[in-house]
Amino acid sequence: MTHLQPRKMDFGFEEADVPFVWNPQNPAWSSMSNAVSFLAVGFEKMIVKLIMQLKPVMTDPEVAAEAVAFMRQEGHHSTAHRQHVKALIKQYPGLQNTIDAVIGEFDLLTEATSTDYRLAYTADLEATFTPVFKLMLDNEEALFRPGDDRVASLFLWHFVEEVEHRSSALILFNALVGNEIYRMRMAPSIFAHVMKVIRIACAGFNQHVPLAQRQVDSLSMFATHRTKQKVLTFFAPYLTKGPMPRAFDGLPRGEQLTALGGVFRSQMPKHDPSHEKLPALAAEWFERYDAGYDCTRWYTARENHDTQQAVTR
């Protein structure tokens, strides 16, 4: 039976304004991760709908239990990211149109595609998360620690739970579809859709968040956009949307290449996420959560604990 534990978290985004550049040392990463929040609301809503639709045909009790636990975790993620997005919309009301467009893309996908396709979509995208999130969690000192503790804690919680349920989507796909060649054939259209949604979010940031607040061209994560903007900078610099750093520019290149290799490996037949190398921070997070630490303020709680330990010695 499944060992997944749904954990409902409240990060208190309503308590104070949430900065768009929540990590002031890395505006490009702040923008990219904000786009992940927008994506998560729509994607994980789609997963919940998909599993609810498929529950009547899940005859294997272990598969059904895995699906329910997976759905609950994803439902909690969607709710928490919606609160993050709501906090950004409070400051930049135009972003309501952006989140509506993102959710609309996934609603359309639900209406227009088969359950087999959406199972493949979920399995393909979820399979990439462990190598990608390992890169992020292994570099938490640069990506998360310098930022707003609420936003940092949101992403830490989400990413470690993605690592925890790394096999769930493939378990469901293999049980209900079981056609790895189909999953591979659908991958190009699936990742094209993911990039389309991310681009919608980033274009919305450029449109509705003033450059003084976002500090970067939010579309700079797309190589084709960077190329076009370089040409535009030469001929019409007044039309550019801001500086174009990349979120991972400061991370070790070898680790980035390892993550990229893991993404390609995740799409191959017979891929088994349970064999993936895991980020050390995930185990630490689960230990601290089980011990009763406030994981909605990961860095504040950890620093307070370390200070108390030092005083008692």
Side-chain angles (χ1 to χ4, degrees), residues 152-167:
S153 299
L154 164 69
F155 284 107
L156 291 175
W157 161 69
H158 185 170
F159 293 169
V160 300
E161 287 201 340
E162 291 293 339
V163 169
E164 183 180 38
H165 70 229
R166 61 192 177 277
S167 297

Side-chain angles (χ1 to χ4, degrees), residues 11-23:
F11 296 92
F13 291 123
E14 73 286 349
E15 295 172 5
D17 287 347
V18 177
F20 185 86
V21 177
W22 62 269
N23 180 341

Side-chain angles (χ1 to χ4, degrees), residues 1 8 19 28 50 92 106 128 150 161 171 209 225 252 267 275 277-278:
M1 297 296 287
K8 188 174 183 179
L50 174 64
Y92 312 105
F106 283 103
T128 69
R150 296 166 298 170
E161 287 201 340
I171 288 172
V209 181
H225 179 78
Q267 302 306 302
H275 297 155
K277 194 170 183 180
L278 306 183

Side-chain angles (χ1 to χ4, degrees), residues 146-281:
D148 184 297
D149 202 7
R150 296 166 298 170
V151 184
S153 299
L154 164 69
F155 284 107
L156 291 175
W157 161 69
H158 185 170
F159 293 169
V160 300
E161 287 201 340
E162 291 293 339
V163 169
E164 183 180 38
H165 70 229
R166 61 192 177 277
S167 297
S168 298
L170 274 172
I171 288 172
L172 298 184
F173 178 84
N174 291 333
L176 298 172
V177 182
N179 186 336
E180 292 185 318
I181 300 303
Y182 174 78
R183 183 173 71 85
M184 289 182 65
R185 285 196 300 108
M186 295 302 105
S189 70
I190 288 166
F191 289 108
H193 185 269
V194 172
M195 290 298 102
K196 177 184 179 181
V197 173
I198 291 289
R199 186 176 285 273
I200 288 171
C202 292
F205 298 161
N206 278 355
Q207 180 179 359
H208 300 297
V209 181
L211 178 58
Q213 275 85 62
R214 56 182 158 84
Q215 300 180 29
V216 295
D217 181 342
S218 291
L219 286 163
S220 62
M221 63 180 290
F222 296 95
T224 54
H225 179 78
R226 291 197 304 274
T227 301
K228 291 177 181 177
Q229 290 300 105
K230 287 177 182 177
V231 174
L232 190 62
T233 299
F234 182 79
F235 290 103
Y238 56 89
L239 293 177
T240 59
K241 300 294 185 180
M244 293 184 291
R246 288 177 291 183
F248 298 153
D249 278 346
L251 304 189
R253 192 167 185 81
E255 292 183 26
Q256 294 186 56
L257 292 173
T258 297
L260 183 61
V263 169
F264 282 112
R265 186 174 62 251
S266 74
Q267 302 306 302
M268 296 296 104
K270 306 298 182 185
H271 176 65
D272 185 351
S274 67
H275 297 155
E276 288 290 296
K277 194 170 183 180
L278 306 183
L281 184 61

Side-chain angles (χ1 to χ4, degrees), residues 13 52 79 82-83 97 102 120 126-127 164 186 259 262:
F13 291 123
M52 291 299 294
T79 298
R82 192 180 287 272
Q83 294 306 310
N97 294 329
V102 167
E126 291 271 332
E164 183 180 38
M186 295 302 105

